[in-house]
Amino acid sequence: MNEGLSAAKGTTTVGLICKDGVILAADRRATMGNMITSKEVTKIFQIDDHLAIAGAGLVGDILSMVRLLRAEARLYRARVGREMSVKVLTTLMANVLHGGRGYGYFAWFLVGGYDTEPRLYSIDAAGGVTEEKYVAAGSGMEFALAILENEFSEGLSLEDGMRLAAKAVNAAIKRDVYTGEGITLVVVTKEGYRELGDDEIKTLLE
């Protein structure tokens, strides 16, 4: 990654819990000041078979965290013989962020996964953790949250949850100048991690 993109910022991310899984969604724009530096930034990352994170903040910091977590997930499997739980991954991230507070990672993370059930956590740059049913982070979060707060209900089907997550990010794209260039949407269920294709997302928004 070039130096400019490393300093670029990712923007709006969304997470929500459904009856049978957790959904993470994000836009694809990266900005530096008032300039768009990339239109194809990935902000959602698979960490293990049933674990994913989304990041809003400096792209370089987010990618650094992803590399660390993937390495730690492999080590955990080798030592313990099973995949990390969502809570273990979240605690690890919180400890890393808290240890580097003030000069570490300039990013806000969402952690989604499925162990015995779907789980979703929000972690701020200082390592503060909250468990959530739905959440948004980044520059367009107020627009996304307005949709989530109005339309979220517990026990959503995956189809309804995917439609709501896409709608929330799309609302930020329409209203926030730092959010744009399409949507990435990921579902994590008992069966594992799946990223939707562009045609599937287009259908959700129709």
Side-chain angles (χ1 to χ4, degrees), residues 144-206:
L145 277 173
I147 299 296
L148 294 173
E149 289 180 350
N150 188 52
E151 300 188 26
F152 177 84
S153 60
E154 293 195 36
L156 282 174
S157 68
L158 285 175
E159 184 71 21
D160 288 342
M162 289 187 291
R163 187 173 292 109
L164 177 56
K167 182 178 180 180
V169 175
N170 199 46
I173 287 173
K174 291 178 178 179
R175 295 287 184 176
D176 175 41
V177 296
Y178 301 110
T179 302
E181 319 308 336
I183 298 169
T184 301
L185 196 150
V186 162
V187 182
V188 185
T189 65
K190 188 176 182 179
E191 284 69 42
Y193 175 104
R194 184 172 83 88
E195 182 175 337
L196 273 67
D198 288 343
D199 289 342
E200 292 177 283
I201 293 170
K202 183 178 179 182
T203 298
L204 291 173
L205 291 171
E206 288 176 351

Side-chain angles (χ1 to χ4, degrees), residues 28-129:
R28 297 173 179 167
R29 176 179 291 178
T31 61
M32 187 181 302
N34 60 2
M35 181 177 68
I36 297 171
T37 56
S38 177
K39 299 181 179 182
E40 289 294 333
V41 170
T42 299
K43 304 176 187 177
I44 304 174
F45 303 88
Q46 183 176 8
I47 303 302
D48 209 329
D49 292 345
H50 299 83
L51 297 169
I53 70 168
L58 290 182
V59 174
D61 286 354
I62 293 167
L63 294 179
S64 177
M65 177 64 81
V66 169
R67 289 190 294 269
L68 172 65
L69 295 178
R70 285 175 173 169
E72 290 289 344
R74 289 192 296 270
L75 286 171
Y76 188 92
R77 273 189 180 271
R79 291 170 178 166
V80 181
R82 64 176 184 272
E83 186 177 17
M84 278 185 185
S85 69
V86 188
K87 181 63 175 177
V88 167
L89 178 65
T90 301
T91 301
L92 170 63
M93 292 180 67
N95 289 342
V96 171
L97 291 165
H98 184 73
R101 64 193 185 281
Y103 55 87
Y105 297 84
F106 188 80
W108 185 346
F109 294 97
L110 307 183
V111 182
Y114 195 108
D115 37 48
T116 59
E117 62 182 339
R119 297 183 185 278
L120 175 67
Y121 294 90
S122 173
I123 313 178
D124 64 34
V129 176

